[in-house]
Amino acid sequence: MSKKILIVVGSLRQGSYNLKIAKHIVKSNPIQAEFKIAKIDDLALYSELYDDASETPEAYTRIREDVEQADGVIFITPEYNRGTSAALKNAIDVVSRPWGQSKWNNKPCSIISSTIGTSGAISANYQVRQTLNCLNAPVMPAPEVCLFGISSSFNENDELINEIVEKILENFTQSFDRWIEKFKRDF
Ligand SMILES: Cc1cc2nc3c(=O)[nH]c(=O)nc-3n(C[C@H](O)[C@H](O)[C@H](O)COP(=O)(O)O)c2cc1C
């Protein structure tokens, strides 16, 4: 059976480079996995008020089930002011609650960050890692993928034209495939 991998993209905008990276991974699919890109743009900002079952938004239930059903989760984050996006952090918070029902516990995760700038969005990458660490999600330590100057890596048809980035993403996806297997062996 192929692995189910959920991809959480931190940018909500249509022309997002982080979303293009996600779509490239889904399309190239070097590990023959079943990928799904999570919908996070309709998640209400998390409040403990929503922990009450009668108040829980449908979108909360959807993303929690998506994470629960996934064998692993790939985060692809932009960097906003040296951190991850509010949308991505909100999605992590939503899935971490109600208390005692977090779906991140023991869920294999991995992180890609990218920016049109020169930093590789490494601060955002590490912020996501820090949050997942406290939720007991085993985050793949390497390869670290922090992509800079990402706008020149895609053409006008949203195709990845940078062979080095292509190789990096292929290696990352294959490594994550092996990382997931360390935690679950009944594929
Ligand atoms: C509010 C805001 C803050 C940003 N801060 C950073 C930053 O700290 N570091 C960085 O490298 N790029 C920063 N950028 C530029 C983003 O890297 C760029 O907008 C990128 O394309 C966003 O990802 P996306 O293409 O997936 O939407 C920022 C952009 C916005 C809108």
Side-chain angles (χ1 to χ4, degrees), residues 11 13 16-19 78-82 114-117 119:
S11 170
R13 74 185 186 94
S16 159
Y17 293 108
N18 287 283
L19 180 59
E79 185 168 85
Y80 286 172
N81 303 318
R82 293 291 179 268
S114 89
T115 172
I116 57 172
S119 71

Side-chain angles (χ1 to χ4, degrees), residues 2-71:
S2 60
K3 296 183 182 73
K4 287 186 179 169
I5 299 184
L6 187 71
I7 304 182
V8 179
V9 177
S11 170
L12 304 184
R13 74 185 186 94
Q14 219 175 11
S16 159
Y17 293 108
N18 287 283
L19 180 59
K20 289 178 195 192
I21 292 169
K23 287 182 173 168
H24 173 80
I25 291 173
V26 174
K27 197 171 161 201
S28 61
N29 200 352
I31 58 170
Q32 271 87 57
E34 201 184 305
F35 285 103
K36 178 173 183 179
I37 299 177
K39 181 169 169 59
I40 64 168
D41 62 356
D42 60 347
L43 295 175
L45 282 181
Y46 175 75
S47 160
E48 286 189 76
L49 292 174
Y50 296 132
D51 287 355
D52 182 336
S54 65
E55 300 289 335
T56 305
E58 253 175 58
Y60 276 30
T61 306
R62 185 194 64 227
I63 185 91
R64 286 168 179 160
E65 286 177 359
D66 279 351
V67 173
E68 187 171 29
Q69 286 162 15
D71 297 303

Side-chain angles (χ1 to χ4, degrees), residues 49-167:
L49 292 174
Y50 296 132
D51 287 355
D52 182 336
S54 65
E55 300 289 335
T56 305
E58 253 175 58
Y60 276 30
T61 306
R62 185 194 64 227
I63 185 91
R64 286 168 179 160
E65 286 177 359
D66 279 351
V67 173
E68 187 171 29
Q69 286 162 15
D71 297 303
V73 179
I74 298 175
F75 291 87
I76 309 185
T77 180
E79 185 168 85
Y80 286 172
N81 303 318
R82 293 291 179 268
T84 192
S85 66
L88 192 149
K89 178 60 164 58
N90 188 48
I92 294 178
D93 291 342
V94 166
V95 175
S96 74
R97 293 285 162 148
W99 171 251
Q101 295 173 43
S102 169
K103 307 291 185 234
W104 297 121
N105 195 35
N106 292 321
K107 184 68 63 182
C109 291
S110 59
I111 306 163
I112 293 169
S113 58
S114 89
T115 172
I116 57 172
T118 55
S119 71
I122 195 164
S123 299
N125 193 307
Y126 267 74
Q127 195 184 51
V128 176
R129 183 177 295 271
Q130 177 181 311
T131 300
L132 292 171
N133 280 349
C134 97
L135 293 167
N136 197 36
V139 184
M140 184 169 74
E144 292 185 301
V145 174
C146 305
L147 302 167
F148 61 91
I150 194 67
S151 53
S152 60
S153 291
F154 289 91
N155 67 15
E156 62 280 5
N157 299 319
D158 295 345
E159 291 157 343
L160 185 59
I161 51 168
N162 183 326
E163 283 177 21
I164 295 171
V165 172
E166 192 176 357
K167 199 74 206 149

